[in-house]
């Protein structure tokens, strides 16, 4: 009798595990994983002031974080059920293709090359590539000024190579794993400029306005998208709808004003969401 009761209890336990959260598979659409798993793992940056930063007390704040939370909420996942995963320009594609994350919201520019490996929703923000320099370098006025100088960007990102290919073939490229490493090298005089998107650079100026400046002449167009696993059209459409709602409800602008506004970066209009 006791053995039968134990068997019945075990059977019930197995049944509950099988029918509860966690029954999703990596191949499922983002929509199904959010609905049936009641949890999302989202790749973000931990080191971008104003956009996506982990604070000393362990909170995650910034515009990208707000976008990620809004999208998750529209998919039915509470912020308490989000696992934040640090992703970098060198690992964003592999994080998605390996299943380490469900989506990426990390100043992730939409490019044809990247679309060969992952899918995108959006864009949810448009900016342009620019230069961060010391205030004591007034002669750096644009990418053409960088021949013979040292230019820093992060491993796996494209901006520095674009400068060399299009504007300054004699520039010396320096790579670090993170943008704060580039900014530290800039302040120490080890490099002459840092390049990435203007909105990212603005966050670092806000931290050291007496030492740094953004040149202010963008020379590219960068469209930030939400990265998803390749071919997840249901997920794309759901995220696109979430971004549209964030814009129409006013949450998009309020987040930008709170997170980016203090840097005096000129806030753009919401981008037009297009089929990726």
């Amino acid at each position: 009798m006791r053995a039968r009761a134990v068997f019945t209890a075990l059977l019930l336990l197995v049944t509950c595990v099988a029918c509860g959260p966690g029954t999703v598979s990596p191949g499922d659409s983002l929509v199904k994983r959010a609905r049936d798993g009641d949890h999302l793992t989202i790749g973000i940056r931990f080191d971008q002031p104003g956009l996506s930063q982990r604070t000393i007390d362990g909170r995650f704040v910034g515009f990208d974080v707000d976008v990620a939370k809004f999208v998750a909420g529209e998919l039915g996942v509470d912020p308490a059920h989000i696992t934040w995963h640090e992703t970098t320009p060198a690992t964003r594609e592999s994080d998605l293709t390996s299943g380490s994350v469900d989506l990426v919201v990390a100043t992730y520019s939409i490019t044809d090359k990247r679309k060969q490996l992952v899918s995108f929703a959006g864009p949810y923000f448009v900016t342009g590539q620019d230069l961060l320099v010391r205030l004591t370098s007034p002669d750096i006025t644009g990418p053409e000024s960088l021949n013979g100088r040292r230019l820093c960007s992060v491993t796996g990102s494209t901006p520095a190579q674009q400068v060399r290919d299009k504007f300054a073939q004699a520039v010396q490229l320096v790579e670090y794993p993170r943008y704060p490493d580039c900014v530290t090298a800039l302040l120490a005089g080890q490099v002459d400029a840092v390049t990435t998107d203007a909105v990212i650079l603005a966050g670092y100026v806000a931290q050291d306005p007496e030492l740094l400046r953004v040149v202010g002449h963008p020379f590219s167009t960068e469209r930030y998208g939400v990265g998803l696993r390749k071919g997840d059209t249901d997920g794309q459409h759901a995220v696109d709808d979430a971004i549209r709602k964030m814009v129409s409800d006013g949450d998009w602008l309020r987040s930008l004003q709170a997170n980016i506004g203090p840097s005096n970066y000129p806030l753009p209009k919401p981008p037009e969401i297009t089929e990726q």
Side-chain angles (χ1 to χ4, degrees), residues 132-137 140 148-152 172 174 176 180-194 211-212:
L132 179 70
V133 298
R134 295 182 292 274
L135 281 178
T136 53
S137 300
I140 300 180
R149 300 179 188 266
R150 294 159 296 176
L151 175 65
C152 191
Q172 301 174 41
V174 179
Y176 283 102
D181 299 329
C182 281
V183 176
T184 299
L186 178 64
L187 290 169
Q190 297 171 351
V191 299
D192 301 296
V194 178
L211 298 174
L212 300 172

Side-chain angles (χ1 to χ4, degrees), residues 245-266:
K245 184 175 180 181
M246 187 178 185
V247 170
S248 64
D249 286 357
D251 294 85
W252 184 88
L253 181 58
R254 282 190 288 271
S255 177
L256 277 178
Q257 290 171 333
N259 292 293
I260 306 299
S263 71
N264 293 319
Y265 177 83

Side-chain angles (χ1 to χ4, degrees), residues 38-249:
D38 192 29
H39 175 271
L40 288 173
T41 299
I42 303 179
I44 59 171
R45 299 300 303 272
F46 283 14
D47 57 0
Q48 291 182 338
L51 291 166
S52 185
Q53 189 175 30
R54 183 175 185 173
T55 63
I56 295 176
D57 59 359
R59 294 178 299 113
F60 297 95
V61 296
F63 175 62
D64 275 2
V65 174
D66 288 348
V67 171
K69 286 181 178 179
F70 193 96
V71 168
E74 289 300 296
L75 293 171
V77 176
D78 188 87
H81 294 172
I82 297 173
T83 296
W84 301 107
H85 175 91
E86 184 175 21
T87 192
T88 69
T91 64
R92 288 178 296 207
E93 285 84 25
S94 60
D95 284 344
L96 283 167
T97 57
S98 69
S100 297
V101 300
D102 295 302
L103 64 159
V104 167
V105 188
T107 59
Y108 199 5
S109 294
I110 301 169
T111 68
D112 289 339
K113 182 178 180 180
R114 288 169 178 163
K115 285 196 286 187
Q116 294 176 12
L117 297 174
V118 302
S119 292
F120 286 99
Y124 65 89
F125 192 81
V126 176
T127 184
Q129 187 178 343
D130 213 317
L131 300 174
L132 179 70
V133 298
R134 295 182 292 274
L135 281 178
T136 53
S137 300
D139 53 330
I140 300 180
T141 57
E144 300 87 353
S145 309
L146 294 175
N147 277 310
R149 300 179 188 266
R150 294 159 296 176
L151 175 65
C152 191
S153 193
V154 299
T155 307
S157 193
T158 57
Q161 188 62 49
Q162 289 179 5
V163 169
R164 183 159 68 179
D165 290 346
K166 298 179 180 179
F167 301 101
Q169 285 70 40
V171 70
Q172 301 174 41
L173 301 186
V174 179
E175 288 188 338
Y176 283 102
R178 302 171 185 270
Y179 287 113
D181 299 329
C182 281
V183 176
T184 299
L186 178 64
L187 290 169
Q190 297 171 351
V191 299
D192 301 296
V194 178
T195 189
T196 187
D197 304 338
V199 68
I200 297 173
L201 299 177
Y204 295 109
V205 172
Q207 292 184 327
D208 289 294
E210 72 284 357
L211 298 174
L212 300 172
R213 68 180 176 92
V214 176
V215 169
H217 297 290
F219 47 93
S220 74
T221 300
E222 307 297 331
R223 300 160 61 244
Y224 291 165
V226 175
L228 304 97
R229 292 172 199 169
K230 181 71 174 175
D232 186 1
T233 54
D234 287 346
Q236 282 179 295
H237 294 154
V239 175
D240 282 344
D241 288 344
I243 295 170
R244 291 189 184 98
K245 184 175 180 181
M246 187 178 185
V247 170
S248 64
D249 286 357

